[in-house]
Amino acid sequence: MSAPSKVAAKPAGAAKDSQCAEESGPPDSPAFILALDVGTTCVRSFVLDEQCEVRGSAVDAVELLNPQPGYFEIEPESLWRKIVGVITQAVKNAQLTPPDITCLTISTQRCTFLTWDHRSGEYYHNFITWKDLRADELVDQWNASWTKSSMNWFSYALFLLTRQSRFLAGSVLQLMNGQVTPRLLFEIMNNKKLKQALMQKKARVELLDSWILHKLRTGSSRDKDVEHITDVTSSTATGLYDPFTLSWSPLISWLFGINSKILPRVVDNGYKGFGHVHPTAFGPDWANTEIPIAASLSDQTAAIWGSQCFQKNDVKVTMGTGAFLNLVTGDRCQAVISGMYPLVAWQFKKPTRQQGAVYCIEGASHDFGTVVTWAQSCELFDSPANTSDIAQSVPDTNDVFFMPAFSGLGPPVNDYRSASGFIGLTPSTTKAHMVRALLESIVFRLVQLIEAAEKETSQKLHMIRVDGGVSRNDFVCQFLADLSRLRVERADNAESSIMGATFMAGINLGIWRDVNDLKRFRKVARVFEPRPKEYETIANRMDKWSRTIARFSDWY
C-alpha cells in the first residue's frame, strides 16, 4: 500500500480556486484537515492529521425550533454562529493556529432548505428541516390525485415500451414529506414575502450545503455573487433531482411550477471550484489565511465513505436521529419499487468517463432517535447507554411489542398514517420488557429494509457496517446480526460522517492517492456474528410484530 504524501499549508494568495483539488505539494509540512459536520441535533468540527488522528474537536447543539405542531425549523444566523464557534474552538483545541490548516471539508444533513435574497441577506423563512410535516396535507392531496395516478400509469406504459428503468421508477413516484419538493411548494403557496420576492426575481433556494458554501466563501464581505452551487449528493434526495439524467428534473419543475433557475447548480464531489474560506468568515485570527474548501458532501455519503463502502453491494446502516440503509449499486442507477429510492452515492467526473457517478439505493426509518428520546422522557431509563443492559436483563419482551412510527412507517410498509404504541401490555409487564420491545422494534424495521434491499437488487448480503449513536448499543447490534443472519461490523471510530468528509477531502487534495490508501484507517471495534440457534425464536417474534402493523395502520 502506498504511503500518503504530505501537503504543505499554503500561505495567503498562494492557491487558486481552480487548483484546490489538484495541488499536492512537497512533504515539507504536515497536513491538517478541518472537518465540519452539520447534523440534525448537533454541529461538530474536528481537526485531523494525515494519519486520521483527531487533534482537536468541538461540538454544539442545534437549536431545533417547533413554532407549531409538525413544524421543525432552524434559525440560520444562530446556526452560523454555532458553525463559527465549533470551527474556531476545534482549531484551538488542536493547539494549532488558522494558518496551520491545510483545507476545510463539510458534511451536511440533506433536504433541509431555506429561501432568501442572498444579496441583501433577507431570509423569507427559517431553515425548514427534513423532519418538518407542514406540507403533510399537500402530500396526501397530491398522492391521491388523478394527476399523480395518470403520471404513474403513463410512466409504466413507457417502461413496458422502452424497458428503461427510469420509467419504472416513475411508475411508483410519489411525494414524501422528507423531500424538499412539497415543503418548498407549501412555502411558495403560503409565504407572501417569498411570493413577492419570486415575482421580483430576488429569491433563491439554498440547501444547507449551498448556504454554508456561500457563507464560507463570502464571509462579511460585500461581494455576494460567488457561484451558487450544491454538491450532487445533497441534491439527489430532494425529490427535485433526477438521478437517471443527473440533473434537476424538468418534469418535476413543470408539474409543480418550480423554476429550476432558483435552485443551485449541481456539481460533482471532485469539483475544483469549491473555492476558499473568505478571510473574514471566522474572525480576525483568520485574516491572513486562504484555506481551500476541498470537499462538500451529504451526511449519508459521508457515512458511506467513513464506513469505507466503496464496492458494489457494500452496505452501511446509520443509526442516529433516523436510520438510513444505503446499498451501493455501482455505476448503474437502479429503479426500485418498494418505497426505497435510487440516489447518487457520489460522483467524480473523469476525462474518460464524463458521468463518473456511483449509485446506491436507500431506505429510511426516521424515528430511531425520536423513539429513544421519547422513552427517556417517559423515564423508562435514565440514559440510552443503559438500555442494552436493561434489555438483556429479561429473556424476552413477555409478548409486548412496540411500533416505532412517530413519522409513520417507511419502506417497505409505506404507511405514513401509522400510529406508534405498545401492544400486549399486562399487569406483569415491567420497564425492562418495554425497553426490550423498543429496541427490538428498531431492529425489526432495519431487517425490513435489509430484506427489501436484497429483493430489489436480487443480491444476498453478507455483512452490514453500522455507524451512528444507536450502533454503540450491543443488544441492538447482536439482535440485528441474529435476525438478519448477517455479520454486523462496528468501527472503533463512531464519527463516520467526519471520517468520510475527511477521506474525500484528502483524496481531492492529494493527501492520499486513492481509496486503497484509506484502508489503513478503518479500525473495527467489534464484529457481531449471527447466532443460528437464536434465529427461529426471534424470527417468530418478528412475524408476530409484523402482524401488529395492521393494528396501528392508517390511524391518522
Side-chain angles (χ1 to χ4, degrees):
M1 187 178 295
S2 56
S5 58
K6 296 183 180 180
V7 176
K10 302 293 187 287
K16 302 295 183 184
D17 286 0
S18 62
Q19 296 172 323
C20 70
E22 294 179 339
E23 295 177 339
S24 54
D28 55 2
S29 63
F32 296 106
I33 299 174
L34 177 59
L36 172 70
D37 177 57
V38 183
T40 308
T41 57
C42 64
V43 182
R44 303 175 299 164
S45 183
F46 284 66
V47 178
L48 298 98
D49 61 24
E50 59 206 77
Q51 300 304 321
C52 281
E53 296 292 337
V54 175
R55 302 293 291 267
S57 64
V59 181
D60 199 356
V62 172
E63 185 179 357
L64 198 61
L65 306 176
N66 186 213
Q68 55 182 291
Y71 284 50
F72 295 95
E73 302 178 352
I74 302 171
E75 200 282 314
E77 289 303 319
S78 172
L79 178 63
W80 178 247
R81 287 191 292 272
K82 290 177 181 290
I83 289 171
V84 172
V86 296
I87 285 176
T88 53
Q89 184 58 44
V91 174
K92 289 178 181 178
N93 185 248
Q95 298 183 343
L96 298 172
T97 62
D100 295 323
I101 300 302
T102 305
C103 66
L104 174 72
T105 179
I106 64 173
S107 160
T108 59
Q109 59 178 284
R110 302 173 311 187
C111 294
T112 291
F113 75 97
L114 59 75
T115 59
W116 71 332
D117 180 342
H118 69 286
R119 290 187 176 89
S120 70
E122 180 184 5
Y123 296 104
Y124 303 118
H125 52 82
N126 288 331
F127 272 112
I128 300 172
T129 76
W130 61 273
K131 292 172 65 69
D132 192 276
L133 299 174
R134 71 188 62 197
D136 191 47
E137 186 175 341
L138 187 64
V139 168
D140 287 344
Q141 289 174 355
W142 166 256
N143 288 339
S145 70
W146 179 87
T147 304
K148 184 258 185 187
S149 179
S150 299
M151 184 187 70
N152 290 159
W153 279 108
F154 182 65
S155 295
Y156 189 68
L158 288 175
F159 168 71
L160 294 176
L161 288 171
T162 66
R163 292 295 167 178
Q164 291 185 28
S165 57
R166 60 179 298 203
F167 296 124
L168 179 60
S171 70
V172 294
L173 189 67
Q174 63 178 358
L175 278 185
M176 294 184 289
N177 275 306
Q179 298 170 331
V180 169
T181 312
R183 289 172 287 129
L184 175 58
L185 187 60
F186 180 91
E187 286 300 308
I188 291 173
M189 293 168 60
N190 295 283
N191 188 320
K192 293 180 180 179
K193 286 201 304 181
L194 176 57
K195 275 185 179 180
Q196 185 177 6
L198 286 170
M199 288 189 292
Q200 297 172 347
K201 298 185 178 179
K202 291 182 177 180
R204 76 183 194 188
V205 175
E206 298 285 8
L207 303 180
L208 185 54
D209 74 308
S210 67
W211 178 79
I212 292 174
L213 286 171
H214 178 90
K215 298 284 281 186
L216 288 172
R217 297 170 71 182
T218 60
S220 59
S221 71
R222 295 184 179 181
D223 179 12
K224 301 298 182 184
D225 286 323
V226 298
E227 192 177 19
H228 187 207
I229 53 175
T230 182
D231 96 275
V232 65
T233 68
S234 292
S235 65
T236 187
T238 59
L240 294 161
Y241 190 82
D242 185 345
F244 292 93
T245 62
L246 293 170
S247 63
W248 295 119
S249 169
L251 174 61
I252 298 298
S253 295
W254 176 75
L255 281 172
F256 298 108
I258 298 172
N259 187 346
S260 61
K261 291 182 180 179
I262 66 175
L263 301 171
R265 186 170 77 86
V266 179
V267 301
D268 69 286
N269 295 113
Y271 185 57
K272 298 175 184 177
F274 282 124
H276 293 77
V277 178
H278 196 279
T280 64
F282 301 140
D285 291 345
W286 300 70
N288 296 318
T289 61
E290 193 173 12
I291 298 168
I293 303 169
S296 175
L297 61 163
S298 73
D299 53 0
Q300 295 311 312
T301 289
I304 291 172
W305 271 61
S307 299
Q308 297 199 9
C309 293
F310 299 128
Q311 303 299 319
K312 184 177 179 180
N313 294 328
D314 282 351
V315 62
K316 71 85 183 163
V317 174
T318 296
M319 295 186 276
T321 304
F324 294 88
L325 180 146
N326 294 88
L327 171 61
V328 178
T329 57
D331 61 1
R332 186 175 70 89
C333 191
Q334 171 112 23
V336 288
I337 58 175
S338 63
M340 302 180 82
Y341 34 89
L343 300 173
V344 179
W346 66 85
Q347 181 186 29
F348 292 99
K349 291 182 179 178
K350 301 176 182 177
T352 56
R353 189 162 62 97
Q354 182 65 15
Q355 180 171 309
V358 175
Y359 296 90
C360 67
I361 60 171
E362 180 174 286
S365 179
H366 291 303
D367 288 323
F368 269 47
T370 307
V371 165
V372 173
T373 302
W374 170 80
Q376 186 176 7
S377 72
C378 293
E379 299 183 355
L380 289 180
F381 47 83
D382 295 327
S383 168
N386 299 332
T387 56
S388 182
D389 290 339
I390 294 171
Q392 293 179 81
S393 70
V394 289
D396 54 44
T397 66
N398 197 27
D399 255 4
V400 173
F401 297 95
F402 180 74
M403 193 57 57
F406 289 112
S407 300
L409 291 174
V413 181
N414 300 312
D415 178 7
Y416 295 96
R417 292 299 181 186
S418 180
S420 290
F422 286 99
I423 192 168
L425 296 175
T426 67
S428 61
T429 300
T430 66
K431 282 187 178 181
H433 293 129
M434 296 171 74
V435 170
R436 182 166 179 136
L438 284 167
L439 297 186
E440 286 191 1
S441 75
I442 286 174
V443 176
F444 293 153
R445 284 289 295 126
L446 280 178
V447 171
Q448 285 185 323
L449 291 174
I450 291 165
E451 291 175 347
E454 288 182 327
K455 185 176 180 180
E456 291 280 11
T457 59
S458 302
Q459 296 292 330
K460 175 60 182 171
L461 304 179
H462 301 287
M463 181 180 70
I464 305 168
R465 291 177 175 175
V466 295
D467 65 272
V470 182
S471 73
R472 302 292 107 183
N473 188 298
D474 287 351
F475 175 82
V476 168
C477 290
Q478 186 61 61
F479 199 76
L480 176 59
D482 293 340
L483 186 55
S484 66
R485 293 187 281 187
L486 302 173
R487 296 170 70 239
V488 174
E489 183 181 284
R490 183 172 69 196
D492 182 56
N493 190 335
E495 304 293 345
S496 61
S497 294
I498 289 288
M499 295 303 295
T502 300
F503 291 158
M504 189 173 285
I507 294 290
N508 282 345
L509 210 62
I511 296 173
W512 305 296
R513 291 190 180 92
D514 53 38
V515 295
N516 290 322
D517 268 358
L518 304 176
K519 292 180 181 178
R520 72 180 71 189
F521 303 127
R522 180 161 178 83
K523 298 175 183 177
V524 177
R526 183 172 174 183
V527 176
F528 296 85
E529 298 285 352
R531 299 174 297 184
K533 291 182 180 180
E534 302 291 329
Y535 174 73
E536 185 174 351
T537 300
I538 61 177
N540 288 335
R541 286 220 293 276
M542 182 172 175
D543 286 343
K544 192 166 185 179
W545 174 84
S546 298
R547 293 199 298 273
T548 70
I549 291 174
R551 302 286 188 96
F552 294 92
S553 68
D554 200 27
W555 182 263
Y556 296 109

